[in-house]
Amino acid sequence: MRRFLPFLEWIPDYNKNWFSKDLVAGLTVGIILIPQGMAYAMIAGLPPVYGLYASLLPMIAYAFFGTSRQLAVGPVAMDSLLVAAGLATLAITSVDDYIGMALLLAFTVGTIQLTLGLLRMGFLVNFLSKPVISGFTSAAALIIMFSQLKHLLGVDITRSNRFDVLLVNAFEKMPDTNLYDFAIGMVGIVIIVALKKFDKRIPGILFVVILGILVVYFLQLPAFGVHIVGEIPTGLPSFRLHSFNVDTLLELAPIAVTLALIGYLEAISIGKSMEEQTGEETIDANKELIALGSSNMLGSFFQSYVVTGSFSRSAINAQAGAKTPMALFFSAIVVAITLLFLTPLFYYLPNAVLASIIMVSVFGLIDIAYPKSLWEYRKDELFVLVITFLVTLFAGISEGILIGVLLSLLLMVYKSSKPHFAVLGRIEGSDYYKNIDRFSQNVLVRDDLLIVRFDSQLYFGNKNYFKKELLKNVDKKGSKLKGIILNAEAISYIDSSAALMLKRVIEELHDKGLQFYISGATGPTRDTIFSSGIIDALNKKYLFVQTKEAVDYFDNMTPLSVLSERVACQNQRNSN
């Protein structure tokens, strides 16, 4: 049962000390989650109450199925933006239809995540490289921030998922700015930032929410055009079945796959970072997919849109001392009590306050340090990051991720097609053989022997490069060259195309009167050498564990013995 219900791992050992810490952490996260959830629902284009719905059942489901002890699940800014971006491309005519599609999208995302988890395909997220994620996240953070200008300025700005369009639309509406909304939003930003710098333990977001409600209520600011949340439905979310057809699912598929992978990447990254802080290793990648998939699927039937792990709330959860996912139950209780009894208190909550919460929250997603580090040592990956950033910013969210992933794969293919090829020499006074370009001062190089190392798998994509580099170095040695040693320590795999090439190269070198040796081949590589027929051209006597052994064998060979063995190999090839 523990394979299917991970909560059985920790519930038998649960004790009173854990209870008190989980209770404090859960209440803290629940209080922060209420304004954050409503704010993120606004990013997704949904009524604020749907942020509370997304903070209820999904958390309870994750507590049962999740493997992280501190991960806080719920609505987040990034996924909310992706929901808005995906649904904006569909022809939706009414608010009810939009809500229905958002819930169906959550169900679809959950289904994809659950399926991937059951098929143990969590490795797919590895195709989202760090440069792609950094570029995409930074661009998305800017789009989210500028999408909130409509609430900060108190004007009706046309929505868009392109940064340049948002900027132009906001500039056009700037003369109509409601100064009261603007003042409330700016004060909210200043207070949250100031309190965070003064003491991170102070709930600045909650303070701003309470202050905003009180100011708007007592000064009756709606009369001056201040935009407020208004009436929030009271009560827990009701059960709702999805209505859909095949065409609808096909329309949602691209954004659903994107959300499934991005959401999983966010959750697993946050969970791993929490593990590093606590020293506990409990996360199972495939079970996390199942947990997130279950949370999204079950939540969608109770009016929840897409959820995943939240970095800010997970950090608060860990800092508050959470020991187990029981903290999520207490957070869910806080949300449930709010939905049942406290929603009227949020009637006068200004939209500008929610905008200030969003802007401060996502500003931390803009990554400056990582691009700087790439500038120092990996400009090729910096190129991928910058292109992903610009495409996401000016073309679209989905386009940015797609282009980024394709560029990463192309870069990987390019790098693997031209891997590091080194000529080795013996370090003076030792039996170590190193790259002559890196150790030129202390390396002894022989004219009669060429020792090379290929730092990659040998496959159809780089076999011609290997052959070209090898023969180029053979030609450089000239007539004094008598033997070649291939150090195969870094070659973990040889495919059929590369095996055929290597066999022909060995035969070609033999025809030139040169002997070929292989040293350091790992078990799988040796298996390929024997099964692919390379050994027929090489002769198993010329397979060595260490380069030094191959060199000693070469030095002890007489010209006559070399010739006789070569004739024997030729006869064996002819008989085959």
Side-chain angles (χ1 to χ4, degrees):
M1 289 297 292
R2 291 181 178 181
R3 293 177 56 191
F4 303 100
L5 297 173
F7 81 95
L8 293 177
E9 294 282 348
W10 53 265
I11 200 69
D13 301 322
Y14 202 79
N15 57 60
K16 293 180 179 179
N17 293 330
W18 287 3
F19 179 84
S20 59
K21 292 180 178 180
D22 284 342
L23 177 63
V24 172
L27 295 178
T28 304
V29 171
I31 291 170
I32 298 298
L33 179 56
I34 292 166
Q36 267 196 349
M38 291 192 292
Y40 294 154
M42 289 170 55
I43 297 176
L46 296 166
V49 72
Y50 282 87
L52 301 181
Y53 294 159
S55 307
L56 195 58
L57 190 63
M59 284 200 298
I60 298 173
Y62 183 84
F64 280 104
F65 297 106
T67 58
S68 173
R69 301 293 173 87
Q70 284 80 32
L71 186 67
V73 171
V76 298
M78 184 69 65
D79 285 27
S80 299
L81 177 64
L82 287 170
V83 169
L87 297 184
T89 61
L90 307 180
I92 302 175
T93 56
S94 68
V95 175
D96 289 340
D97 289 342
Y98 186 92
I99 294 171
M101 291 298 284
L103 303 184
L104 177 59
L105 179 60
F107 176 79
T108 308
V109 169
T111 303
I112 294 171
Q113 290 174 332
L114 182 63
T115 303
L116 292 177
L118 293 174
L119 296 176
R120 306 186 66 81
M121 298 181 70
F123 68 89
L124 287 176
V125 77
N126 294 330
F127 289 103
L128 295 170
S129 66
K130 174 67 173 175
V132 172
I133 294 301
S134 178
F136 163 74
T137 302
S138 297
L142 286 174
I143 294 173
I144 291 171
M145 291 176 67
F146 278 82
S147 71
Q148 295 307 298
L149 285 177
K150 62 182 295 184
H151 303 297
L152 190 67
L153 302 178
V155 294
D156 186 17
I157 299 176
T158 305
R159 292 178 57 184
S160 176
N161 293 307
R162 287 175 48 189
F163 179 76
D164 54 326
V165 175
L166 278 173
L167 206 58
V168 170
N169 292 345
F171 185 77
E172 291 176 350
K173 294 288 185 176
M174 201 166 288
D176 301 328
T177 298
N178 184 309
L179 295 179
Y180 293 97
D181 275 320
F182 183 71
I184 291 171
M186 292 305 297
V187 170
I189 291 174
V190 170
I191 291 176
I192 294 173
V193 172
L195 290 178
K196 184 181 292 186
K197 288 187 175 181
F198 178 73
D199 190 342
K200 291 184 178 180
R201 293 173 296 180
I202 299 176
I205 292 176
L206 183 62
F207 179 78
V208 167
V209 167
I210 295 173
L211 181 62
I213 292 173
L214 293 176
V215 168
V216 170
Y217 175 75
F218 285 108
L219 297 181
Q220 289 298 302
L221 293 183
F224 297 92
V226 171
H227 298 78
I228 59 176
V229 170
E231 185 176 354
I232 299 176
T234 300
L236 299 177
S238 59
F239 180 80
R240 174 174 175 174
L241 286 173
H242 306 296
S243 59
F244 58 90
N245 52 52
V246 175
D247 292 336
T248 303
L249 291 178
L250 291 176
E251 288 180 324
L252 290 176
I255 192 64
V257 172
T258 302
L259 272 164
L261 294 178
I262 290 291
Y264 170 65
L265 178 66
E266 289 178 292
I268 202 74
S269 300
I270 296 166
K272 289 292 186 182
S273 67
M274 294 296 108
E275 279 190 341
E276 291 177 5
Q277 295 176 15
T278 61
E280 293 181 300
E281 294 186 1
T282 61
I283 292 180
D284 183 294
N286 291 302
K287 287 181 181 178
E288 280 298 291
L289 269 172
I290 294 173
L292 288 174
S294 302
S295 299
N296 279 310
M297 287 180 67
L298 294 173
S300 70
F301 289 112
F302 291 89
Q303 305 187 58
S304 165
Y305 75 102
V306 177
V307 300
T308 188
S310 164
F311 183 81
S312 60
R313 295 194 299 273
S314 297
I316 293 171
N317 198 35
Q319 290 169 6
K323 291 296 182 181
T324 70
M326 182 67 75
L328 298 181
F329 282 105
F330 297 127
S331 297
I333 290 172
V334 172
V335 175
I337 292 173
T338 302
L339 283 168
L340 288 171
F341 308 109
L342 303 181
T343 52
L345 298 178
F346 294 96
Y347 182 90
Y348 286 100
L349 176 62
N351 288 340
V353 165
L354 294 178
S356 67
I357 294 171
I358 292 170
M359 287 182 159
V360 175
S361 297
V362 303
F363 181 77
L365 297 176
I366 302 175
D367 194 348
I368 303 297
Y370 185 62
K372 283 184 177 180
S373 66
L374 290 182
W375 173 259
E376 296 294 331
Y377 70 96
R378 291 305 303 230
K379 290 184 173 60
D380 51 353
E381 293 190 23
L382 178 63
F383 173 77
V384 173
L385 187 152
V386 171
I387 295 299
T388 303
F389 175 81
L390 293 175
V391 173
T392 302
L393 212 58
F394 298 109
I397 305 293
S398 301
E399 291 84 352
I401 295 177
L402 179 62
I403 295 298
V405 170
L406 289 177
L407 282 176
S408 292
L409 293 176
L410 286 174
L411 180 62
M412 180 188 70
V413 171
Y414 175 76
K415 289 291 184 182
S416 69
S417 69
K418 293 186 176 182
H420 185 242
F421 189 98
V423 177
L424 308 183
R426 184 171 65 84
I427 298 292
E428 191 173 3
S430 74
D431 292 326
Y432 295 106
Y433 289 82
K434 299 294 182 180
N435 188 343
I436 62 174
D437 293 330
R438 292 181 181 271
F439 300 86
S440 57
Q441 299 297 324
N442 304 309
V443 171
L444 300 177
V445 181
R446 298 172 53 166
D447 293 331
D448 61 339
L449 184 63
L450 173 66
I451 307 173
V452 298
R453 189 183 71 228
F454 193 67
D455 296 337
S456 174
Q457 299 180 11
L458 191 55
Y459 74 111
F460 67 91
N462 59 28
K463 65 181 181 65
N464 291 334
Y465 175 77
F466 171 86
K467 180 179 179 181
K468 175 184 173 183
E469 290 295 309
L470 178 63
L471 296 181
K472 181 176 72 174
N473 283 283
V474 168
D475 293 338
K476 281 183 180 180
K477 288 286 186 179
S479 59
K480 294 182 179 180
L481 181 66
K482 301 301 180 183
I484 300 101
I485 299 175
L486 171 61
N487 184 313
E489 293 175 356
I491 302 176
S492 60
Y493 173 75
I494 303 176
D495 75 352
S496 59
S497 300
L500 181 60
M501 175 277 300
L502 187 56
K503 183 178 179 181
R504 289 175 177 173
V505 166
I506 294 173
E507 293 172 352
E508 182 180 336
L509 292 173
H510 285 172
D511 292 340
K512 291 181 179 181
L514 302 174
Q515 189 52 56
F516 195 87
Y517 308 86
I518 296 179
S519 68
T522 61
T525 303
R526 290 175 67 91
D527 292 341
T528 303
I529 289 172
F530 279 90
S531 62
S532 65
I534 295 175
I535 197 66
D536 296 335
L538 180 69
N539 192 327
K540 63 181 179 181
K541 291 183 179 180
Y542 295 156
L543 270 178
F544 298 92
V545 176
Q546 296 179 343
T547 300
K548 176 183 180 299
E549 295 175 353
V551 174
D552 291 342
Y553 187 88
F554 171 79
D555 289 337
N556 294 327
M557 288 286 287
T558 64
L560 183 60
S561 61
V562 171
L563 179 61
S564 62
E565 287 196 4
R566 189 173 297 131
V567 170
C569 287
Q570 182 65 43
N571 292 335
Q572 184 178 2
R573 290 204 304 268
N574 293 337
S575 63
N576 291 336

